[in-house]
Amino acid sequence: MYRFFTSESVTEGHPDKICDQISDAILDAILEKDPNARVACETLVTTGLVLVAGEITTEMYADIQKIVRDTVKEIGYDRGKYGFDSENLAVMVSINNQSTDIALGVDETNSHEQGAGDQGMMFGYATSETDCYMPISHLYASLLAKRLSEVRKLRIVDYLRPDGKTQVTAEFNDDGTFKRFDKILISSQHSPKVSQETIRKDIIKHVIEPIIPSNMIDCHTEILVNPTGRFVIGGPAGDSGLTGRKIIVDTYGGKAHHGGGAFSGKDPSKVDRSAAYALRYVAKNIVASGLAKEIEVQVSYAIGISKPTSIGVNTFGTGIISDDQLVEIIKKHFDLRPRAIIDAFQLKRPIYKQVAAYGHFGRDDLDLPWEKLDKVELLSQYKK
């Protein structure tokens, strides 16, 4: 058990998150017209340049140039002085078809059930720390990042620019319950004309105070705002970005293991994405049913094979039944074959860009199928 645990998040204007949103915007545009498309789309950004690469097999045409520019503009990079401008970008595209060797194992035929799009392991996690079953440090880091973008877009604080990061350190009691927030860190890109004192005052007033309940901090909580004293050069002008480089921000803030596979830009035949969503659903329903206060579920796959090669559970000593019993319950009540996951959650829809920033899990602001608690009553029978 950690006495202190820290999680971070980033805003939609962070270079890596720009890439995630572009990749998922391309995916959504393709799935809207061709739900059976195969998409593995990667994006790289740097000063004045966006490179889109990957493997896409589809019957429809996607105007990738327009999707890139529209996404960058929506994020807020619409002026040259920000160092990245939607109207003045070089957009390069290098797209090929998906490998036919991979397609042999993934595509469903009369004699072959849809298999996993790749080998690998995925994890799902849930905890009773918060009402949305997410780690408290990660939940509030994500909420702060989202609020930071809101105050910029609504011009509540009109000198902020799109790039930003947050970090929250939670302190826990000896029994593992949340005690307080020990440190809150916010870094935000800004206009060169504003003082550090003004930034700190406005960030505390308009970002931290509306998000962090007063009973979660005390006089010893340290608040850090732009600790270098200046953050004018940001976004792709300050650092290159790449799809899939914020996988811990996307998931559980480091509180759970991660299989290593990114989500953004991948259609749901890729179990890196779809199985991770399914395992969040499994974990959340188990904790909500009272079978454990905390759980991590692991599953593994072999490329081209539909049935998982393994299922593992760890309740960290919080389960009211054994971990082995929970494995059997999962096998009985949750179908983790790729096609079953896709059908259960209707994953061939354009629903992905909305989760490309601020996390894929614990999003009470979105109606996400993998966040539903429709197995709680069924699972509660095992408490008896």
Side-chain angles (χ1 to χ4, degrees):
M1 184 193 73
Y2 289 95
R3 176 70 182 276
F4 294 91
F5 195 87
T6 301
S7 298
E8 73 158 353
S9 187
V10 298
T11 67
E12 61 208 69
H14 184 280
D16 296 330
K17 273 291 147 208
I18 296 172
C19 295
D20 288 342
Q21 290 166 94
I22 290 172
S23 293
D24 273 339
I26 293 168
L27 173 63
D28 278 358
I30 292 172
L31 290 180
E32 187 173 6
K33 299 290 180 63
D34 183 5
N36 294 313
R38 293 284 186 262
V39 181
C41 179
E42 313 287 341
T43 304
L44 178 146
V45 298
T46 187
T47 306
L49 173 67
V50 177
L51 170 63
V52 179
E55 297 78 45
I56 299 177
T57 301
T58 182
E59 298 298 322
M60 63 86 66
Y61 168 74
D63 189 344
I64 292 178
Q65 288 265 349
K66 185 176 188 304
I67 293 169
V68 168
R69 296 183 192 281
D70 287 351
T71 303
V72 170
K73 183 177 182 180
E74 182 183 333
I75 290 168
Y77 287 107
D78 55 2
R79 305 183 69 179
K81 67 180 182 180
Y82 294 169
F84 199 65
D85 176 7
S86 60
E87 296 299 321
N88 296 289
L89 292 174
V91 180
M92 300 176 63
V93 180
S94 179
I95 298 293
N96 297 303
N97 287 330
Q98 182 190 56
S99 163
T100 53
D101 292 343
I102 294 175
L104 283 173
V106 176
D107 291 347
E108 187 162 311
T109 66
N110 291 334
S111 60
H112 183 270
E113 182 180 8
Q114 179 173 335
D118 201 352
Q119 71 175 50
M121 64 284 189
M122 300 84 214
F123 292 87
Y125 178 83
T127 174
S128 57
E129 277 179 22
T130 61
D131 291 342
C132 62
Y133 303 95
M134 290 292 287
I136 195 166
S137 56
H138 186 51
L139 171 63
Y140 280 95
S142 300
L143 290 173
L144 286 169
K146 191 168 186 290
R147 176 63 181 171
L148 185 58
S149 282
E150 286 174 352
V151 300
R152 170 180 61 86
K153 288 186 168 184
L154 295 173
R155 300 192 66 78
I156 295 170
V157 182
D158 61 5
Y159 55 77
L160 296 181
R161 293 180 178 176
D163 197 358
K165 302 182 78 170
T166 65
Q167 189 169 285
V168 172
T169 300
E171 182 181 0
F172 296 88
N173 296 305
D174 291 339
D175 64 356
T177 57
F178 172 74
K179 182 177 181 180
R180 58 187 281 274
F181 287 131
D182 184 65
K183 290 183 177 62
I184 297 170
L185 165 61
I186 295 184
S187 296
S188 179
Q189 186 186 12
H190 59 85
S191 160
K193 298 180 180 180
V194 64
S195 70
Q196 170 71 2
E197 181 182 359
T198 298
I199 295 170
R200 178 180 173 84
K201 175 175 64 77
D202 287 344
I203 291 292
I204 291 174
K205 178 180 179 181
H206 297 294
V207 179
I208 296 176
E209 289 182 355
I211 296 299
I212 305 294
S214 59
N215 64 343
M216 290 186 173
I217 59 176
D218 56 30
C219 60
H220 300 293
T221 300
E222 186 175 4
I223 295 176
L224 301 170
V225 176
N226 284 13
T228 67
R230 182 178 171 87
F231 187 2
V232 173
I233 301 172
D239 190 12
S240 61
L242 189 66
T243 298
R245 208 157 56 180
K246 285 292 176 284
I247 56 178
I248 299 304
V249 170
D250 287 339
T251 52
Y252 306 103
K255 200 69 183 288
H257 288 91
H258 197 295
F263 299 159
S264 290
K266 296 179 180 177
D267 75 78
S269 73
K270 280 72 173 175
V271 284
D272 281 338
R273 176 167 227 158
S274 54
Y277 290 169
L279 293 183
R280 163 62 178 174
Y281 173 71
V282 171
K284 185 175 180 182
N285 275 271
I286 288 174
V287 172
S289 70
L291 293 177
K293 292 182 179 179
E294 180 182 14
I295 189 170
E296 182 179 77
V297 186
Q298 187 207 47
V299 70
S300 63
Y301 292 90
I303 188 168
I305 298 175
S306 62
K307 188 177 180 180
T309 55
S310 70
I311 298 174
V313 162
N314 186 356
T315 57
F316 310 95
T318 70
I320 65 170
I321 59 177
S322 73
D323 291 354
D324 288 342
Q325 286 176 290
L326 283 169
V327 170
E328 294 307 312
I329 290 169
I330 291 169
K331 289 179 179 179
K332 181 176 181 180
H333 295 295
F334 297 91
D335 191 340
L336 297 176
R337 294 172 301 161
R339 174 64 183 273
I341 295 170
I342 291 169
D343 289 347
F345 296 148
Q346 297 180 308
L347 293 181
K348 292 184 177 183
R349 298 176 290 154
I351 60 173
Y352 299 106
K353 184 185 174 187
Q354 63 182 339
V355 291
Y358 312 116
H360 294 241
F361 307 127
R363 295 291 300 272
D364 289 344
D365 57 321
L366 301 174
D367 182 22
L368 302 174
W370 52 87
E371 291 293 320
K372 294 188 183 302
L373 292 173
D374 53 8
K375 294 274 192 179
V376 171
E377 185 176 353
L378 175 65
L379 296 174
S380 295
Q381 66 179 300
Y382 294 100
K383 293 168 64 176
K384 298 174 183 178

